[in-house]
């Protein structure tokens, strides 16, 4: 499947759509991911230290597990839904209303291959990359909030005590969240009618459906993980 997708993306028009989605959903979202990750790391560590009186090492350990496994995938998925998911639905709905999709079909161009697959593939890769930025920012700010042993010492201890599978699990989960959000956005965008008033409604519905799908998928991941272990 993946070799076929990569070969599909190598076609010039589709590659241009794919690269534009990577830039918009990935590169332009790095700052938001860093800011949100740093804020979350500071909040979790401050809450644990202030409310539960744990040591700095234990606070970072709890923050690491919760962020890698749950908080980062959900937060990145929600950020992607609010920004890129809504934008994708708006763009495709506008193309539907203005008749661009009909024009593509008359020219013999499959809208699914040209518009949907590049967006879904880019969404999975962008979300996986944004997950790494989010986690790195959370770890750095969280370690900076516990300066007793020095930030570098705290980060080394955190890396040594973190289970190696957690980052890969979180990255895979986030990539699937991105694919789900992009698929919902494309489906709703294609469902637009002829009235331009539907565009804003579909963008809002995309965010709502994406939030619900992310939460349900997260529950499913949790159940499958418990059954596996």
């Amino acid at each position: 499947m993946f070799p076929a997708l990569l070969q599909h993306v190598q076609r010039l028009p589709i590659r241009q759509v794919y690269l534009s989605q990577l830039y918009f959903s990935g590169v332009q979202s790095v700052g938001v991911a860093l800011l949100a990750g740093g804020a979350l790391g500071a909040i979790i560590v401050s809450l644990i230290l202030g409310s539960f009186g744990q040591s700095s090492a234990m606070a970072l350990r709890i923050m690491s597990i919760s962020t890698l496994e749950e908080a980062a995938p959900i937060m990145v998925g929600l950020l992607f839904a609010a920004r890129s998911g809504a934008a994708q639905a708006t763009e495709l709905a506008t193309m539907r209303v203005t008749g661009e999709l009909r024009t593509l079909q008359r020219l013999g161009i499959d809208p699914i291959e040209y518009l949907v697959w590049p967006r879904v593939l880019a969404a999975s890769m962008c979300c996986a990359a944004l997950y790494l930025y989010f986690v790195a920012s959370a770890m750095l700010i969280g370690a900076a909030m516990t300066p007793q042993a020095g930030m570098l010492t705290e980060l080394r201890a955190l890396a040594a005590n973190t289970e190696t599978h957690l980052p890969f699990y979180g990255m895979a989960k986030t990539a699937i969240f991105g694919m789900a959000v992009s698929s919902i956005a494309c489906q709703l965008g294609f469902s637009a009618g002829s009235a331009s008033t539907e565009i804003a409604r579909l963008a809002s519905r995309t965010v709502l459906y994406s939030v619900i799908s992310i939460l349900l998928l997260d529950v499913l991941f949790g159940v499958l993980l418990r059954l596996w272990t």
Side-chain angles (χ1 to χ4, degrees), residues 46-77:
S46 298
L47 179 63
I48 295 172
L49 291 177
S51 300
F52 301 100
Q54 298 287 346
S55 65
S56 60
M58 181 58 67
L60 281 177
R61 172 70 172 158
I62 296 173
M63 187 271 293
S64 172
I65 295 174
S66 60
T67 301
L68 287 169
E69 190 171 349
E70 294 295 339
I74 291 177
M75 286 296 297
V76 171

Side-chain angles (χ1 to χ4, degrees), residues 1 13 35 43-44 76 85 102 104 147 150 155 157 162 200 204:
M1 178 179 178
L35 180 61
I43 291 171
I44 293 177
V76 171
R102 290 192 299 271
L104 289 176
L155 288 174
T162 299
S204 176

